[in-house]
């Protein structure tokens, strides 16, 4: 029978064997595919942070402290740098813009966005959760929070696996000596969106007919203006028929593991060559003078049996060069970066001539820009849906903010290519000299790249030019203007 392929097949079974709950499948999750999903979130985080024992590295000799290169972190950080760059929102109504600017500032939305996005690239999924409290003062009732995707379990339409009709948000709670599950459930019903909160036994929360041990909030309908589930799920990858995304490190785990193994082996080789390993035909003895075993490893001694008549104690010749290790590491790293679409320039390693050449830079940046643009599409689709619901549901329902019909609230991202300010200045200057553009357009474009001009700069330039051409006429004009300002006219 063929092995079932899932988005988590490349990480399941590869990670280490740490005792306790670390690297263990969460058995409290009732569905196998979700067990693998939640497990993968933690496993990919451990790869990102270089947690020891994440991979099953082969121990060479007595070395028990392997080295973990930040290979996964380099891939994720480079991707995060370009995905959702300069994220912002725009409301077509000025008053609406002020309201949502204040809302997002109060909720620290941008800082949450950055962290949520980074972990979404690590894990493969990221979520937002919107709630509201009508008892709070006006202007502070809506709450927007980043949510761990490991606590999100969608409920699917039994007749359409692509349609989500509800979701559970679960949280493990310690109650006395046992652990229970606090479950917040949203559902789409004939009366709109409903919510309920209950406590369940650890192994019972996922069954439809399970009885809660405590009901915290009975089934309650949200305001009629709210027509969508208040949980917004962003996928790092869109895979047909798969309700979840997958980590940016998916499929690269074995190369990362090989890099860690190789650098650990190289480190051990250098240690053994530097500290030395020795051979003798003498018998090791303990502190009591009894025969013992030699330990094998750096600065250790191996007892050899043979016919050599004299007692000897020699240093074993070590490796003369680590160049083969370095070549192997570079080869693995090169394929890791190419396979992940992460060019050197995206990690900050670039030749000056490439940076100065727009065409060369674009060619090198092409892979990661193309990858980031695909992710931006997923990001913007979900965030535009969330902004639409905030504009038309949550703001009027809880804050009484009703904007004119047709008002829009949309998200956008900025340009991903590094901006060459000098090149743009030279282009504008050349166009101005060739009379392709006028001075006002020149100033407008210069303002976009950071230059600031006084409001009366055009008049000042014109006056200065007139002085240089005809100083006498310019003086008469200035005197006449001064007299007019004092109330006289000619």
């Amino acid at each position: 029978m063929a092995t079932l392929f899932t988005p988590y097949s490349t990480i399941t079974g590869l990670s280490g064997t740490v005792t306790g709950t670390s690297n263990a499948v969460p058995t409290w999750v009732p569905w196998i595919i979700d067990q693998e999903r939640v497990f993968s979130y933690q496993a990919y985080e451990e790869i990102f942070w270089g947690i020891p024992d994440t991979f099953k590295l082969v121990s060479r000799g007595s070395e028990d402290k392997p080295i973990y290169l930040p290979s996964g972190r380099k891939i994720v950080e480079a991707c995060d740098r370009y995905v959702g760059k300069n994220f912002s929102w725009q409301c077509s109504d000025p008053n609406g813009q002020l309201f949502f600017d204040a809302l997002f500032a109060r909720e620290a939305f941008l800082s949450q966005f950055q962290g949520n996005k980074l972990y979404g690239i690590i894990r493969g999924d990221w979520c937002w959760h919107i709630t509201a409290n009508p008892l709070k003062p006006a202007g502070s009732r809506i709450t927007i929070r980043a949510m761990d995707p490991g606590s999100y379990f969608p409920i699917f339409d039994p007749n359409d696996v692509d349609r989500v009709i509800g979701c559970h948000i679960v949280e493990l709670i310690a109650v006395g000596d046992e652990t229970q599950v606090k479950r917040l459930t949203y559902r789409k019903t004939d009366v709109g969106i409903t919510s309920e909160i209950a406590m369940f036994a650890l192994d019972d929360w996922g069954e439809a007919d399970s009885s809660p041990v405590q009901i915290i909030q009975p089934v309650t309908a949200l305001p009629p203006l709210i027509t969508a589930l208040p949980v917004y799920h962003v996928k790092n990858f869109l895979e047909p028929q798969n309700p979840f995304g997958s980590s940016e490190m998916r499929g690269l785990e074995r190369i990362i593991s090989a890099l860690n193994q190789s650098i650990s082996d190289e480190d051990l080789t250098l240690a053994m060559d530097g500290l030395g390993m020795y051979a003798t035909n003498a018998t090791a003895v303990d502190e009591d003078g009894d025969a013992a075993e030699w330990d094998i490893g750096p600065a250790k001694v191996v007892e050899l049996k043979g016919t050599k008549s004299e007692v000897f104690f020699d240093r074993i010749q070590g490796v003369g060069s680590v160049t083969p290790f370095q070549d192997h590491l570079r080869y693995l790293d090169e394929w890791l970066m190419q396979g992940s679409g992460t060019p050197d320039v995206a990690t900050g390693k670039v030749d000056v001539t490439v940076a100065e050449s727009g065409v060369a830079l674009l060619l090198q940046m092409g892979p990661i820009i193309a990858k980031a643009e695909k992710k931006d599409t997923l990001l913007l689709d979900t965030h535009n849906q969330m902004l639409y619901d905030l504009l038309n549901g949550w703001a009027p329902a809880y804050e009484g903010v009703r904007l004119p019909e047709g008002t829009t609230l949309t998200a956008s991202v900025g340009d991903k290519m590094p901006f060459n300010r000098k090149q743009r200045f030279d282009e504008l200057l050349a166009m101005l000299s060739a009379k392709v553009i006028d001075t006002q357009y020149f100033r407008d474009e210069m303002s976009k790249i950071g230059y600031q001009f006084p409001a009366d700069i055009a008049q000042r330039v014109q006056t200065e030019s007139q002085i240089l051409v005809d100083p006498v006429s310019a003086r008469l004009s200035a005197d006449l203007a001064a007299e007019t300002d004092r109330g006289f006219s000619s």
Side-chain angles (χ1 to χ4, degrees):
M1 181 178 178
T3 303
L4 179 63
F5 169 73
T6 72
Y8 319 109
S9 298
T10 56
I11 189 64
T12 303
L14 184 67
S15 53
T17 56
V18 181
T19 58
T21 58
S22 180
N23 272 336
V25 173
T27 55
W28 57 272
V29 178
W31 308 287
I32 294 177
I33 188 66
D34 281 306
Q35 288 180 358
E36 293 184 354
R37 174 175 66 89
V38 176
F39 164 80
S40 76
Y41 292 154
Q42 177 176 329
Y44 283 120
E45 284 184 53
E46 291 179 353
I47 294 175
F48 179 81
W49 291 113
I51 301 299
D53 297 320
T54 302
F55 293 110
K56 297 175 182 176
L57 300 187
V58 179
S59 178
R60 316 292 191 187
S62 63
E63 176 60 41
D64 61 352
K65 295 181 176 60
I67 297 174
Y68 291 86
L69 295 173
S71 307
R73 186 170 183 176
K74 181 166 65 171
I75 293 170
V76 169
E77 292 280 12
C79 183
D80 177 65
R81 194 174 299 128
Y82 295 97
V83 174
K85 185 177 181 181
N86 296 326
F87 178 87
S88 62
W89 55 90
Q90 301 81 34
C91 185
S92 59
D93 182 83
N95 292 326
Q97 185 71 43
L98 293 174
F99 171 80
F100 287 106
D101 285 348
L103 169 65
F104 292 139
R106 188 186 73 244
E107 294 300 305
F109 181 79
L110 282 179
S111 58
Q112 286 197 83
F113 176 88
Q114 296 297 337
N116 209 10
K117 172 168 65 78
L118 174 64
Y119 272 83
I121 295 172
I122 296 172
R123 296 163 170 163
D125 300 287
W126 47 305
C127 299
W128 294 103
H129 184 202
I130 300 179
T131 58
N133 185 350
L135 301 180
K136 286 186 176 182
S140 63
R141 295 168 181 162
I142 299 173
T143 299
I144 306 171
R145 289 291 179 266
M147 189 179 78
D148 182 354
S151 65
Y152 169 65
F153 298 87
I155 303 171
F156 299 100
D157 187 336
N159 300 316
D160 184 358
V161 295
D162 291 328
R163 182 169 179 262
V164 177
I165 59 173
C167 67
H168 300 303
I169 301 174
V170 301
E171 181 181 2
L172 299 182
I173 303 293
V175 180
D177 296 333
E178 64 177 4
T179 300
Q180 295 183 0
V181 171
K182 179 182 178 182
R183 191 184 79 181
L184 164 61
T185 301
Y186 293 106
R187 298 182 191 272
K188 293 180 179 178
T189 69
D190 294 337
V191 298
I193 306 297
T194 64
S195 69
E196 55 185 298
I197 306 174
M199 299 292 293
F200 289 83
L202 189 62
D203 297 327
D204 294 339
W205 70 270
E207 303 299 329
D209 56 351
S210 297
S211 298
V213 298
Q214 178 187 358
I215 297 177
I216 299 176
Q217 175 199 298
V219 177
T220 304
L222 298 183
L225 286 173
I226 298 173
T227 58
L229 298 173
V231 177
Y232 300 86
H233 172 209
V234 185
K235 304 175 186 177
N236 188 47
F237 287 102
L238 179 61
E239 185 176 333
Q241 300 298 308
N242 181 14
F244 290 93
S246 53
S247 171
E248 195 64 25
M249 294 175 281
R250 175 186 174 185
L252 304 172
E253 305 94 341
R254 293 190 182 276
I255 300 182
I256 296 173
S257 178
L259 282 165
N260 293 335
Q261 182 71 68
S262 296
I263 193 65
S264 296
D265 289 347
E266 179 188 324
D267 185 65
L268 178 60
T269 299
L270 290 171
M272 293 183 71
D273 189 49
L275 297 175
M277 184 172 172
Y278 301 84
T280 181
N281 60 358
T283 301
V285 294
D286 59 20
E287 57 185 10
D288 297 324
D290 299 326
E293 296 291 333
W294 292 108
D295 290 332
I296 298 177
K300 301 295 178 64
V301 180
V302 178
E303 180 182 357
L304 302 177
K305 304 297 183 182
T307 59
K308 194 170 183 178
S309 58
E310 297 181 1
V311 175
F312 67 92
F313 194 93
D314 297 333
R315 189 178 194 275
I316 296 176
Q317 183 64 37
V319 175
S321 171
V322 293
T323 300
F325 279 113
Q326 292 294 316
D327 290 343
H328 182 59
L329 285 168
R330 277 190 290 269
Y331 182 79
L332 290 175
D333 186 67
E334 179 182 346
W335 279 106
L336 180 66
M337 293 300 103
Q338 289 185 10
S340 64
T342 309
D344 286 342
V345 65
T347 62
K349 182 181 178 182
V350 60
D351 187 84
V352 175
T353 57
V354 173
E356 290 294 334
S357 172
V359 176
L361 185 62
L362 181 60
L363 288 173
Q364 287 209 19
M365 291 286 293
I368 197 166
I369 288 178
K371 179 172 68 173
E373 286 176 345
K374 294 175 185 177
K375 298 181 189 302
D376 281 349
T377 301
L378 298 172
L379 181 154
L380 290 173
D381 285 348
T382 302
H383 282 82
N384 278 327
Q385 178 188 355
M386 184 174 76
L387 294 179
Y388 177 89
D389 293 339
L390 283 169
L391 172 68
N392 297 286
W394 294 87
Y398 285 97
E399 297 289 4
V401 176
R402 290 176 171 80
L403 299 172
E405 186 176 354
T407 299
T408 60
L409 179 64
T410 56
S412 65
V413 295
D415 189 10
K416 303 186 185 308
M417 278 295 293
F419 185 73
N420 191 324
R421 198 162 178 255
K422 180 179 182 301
Q423 183 181 14
R424 181 57 175 162
F425 175 82
D426 292 342
E427 288 175 351
L428 290 170
L429 194 61
M431 287 190 289
L432 183 64
S433 300
K435 301 188 184 305
V436 176
I437 58 175
D438 60 15
T439 53
Q440 185 57 51
Y441 180 85
F442 178 82
R443 293 191 190 96
D444 291 342
E445 291 300 305
M446 292 293 286
S447 297
K448 296 178 182 178
I449 61 176
Y451 290 92
Q452 297 181 357
F453 300 99
D456 62 342
I457 188 65
Q459 180 60 45
R460 288 162 56 178
V461 170
Q462 182 180 358
T463 301
E464 187 176 82
S465 299
Q466 186 178 0
I467 291 174
L468 294 175
V469 173
D470 188 356
V472 176
S473 177
R475 177 61 182 273
L476 291 174
S477 298
D479 291 343
L480 180 59
E483 293 295 327
T484 301
D485 289 340
R486 288 199 295 268
F488 297 98
S489 60
S490 56

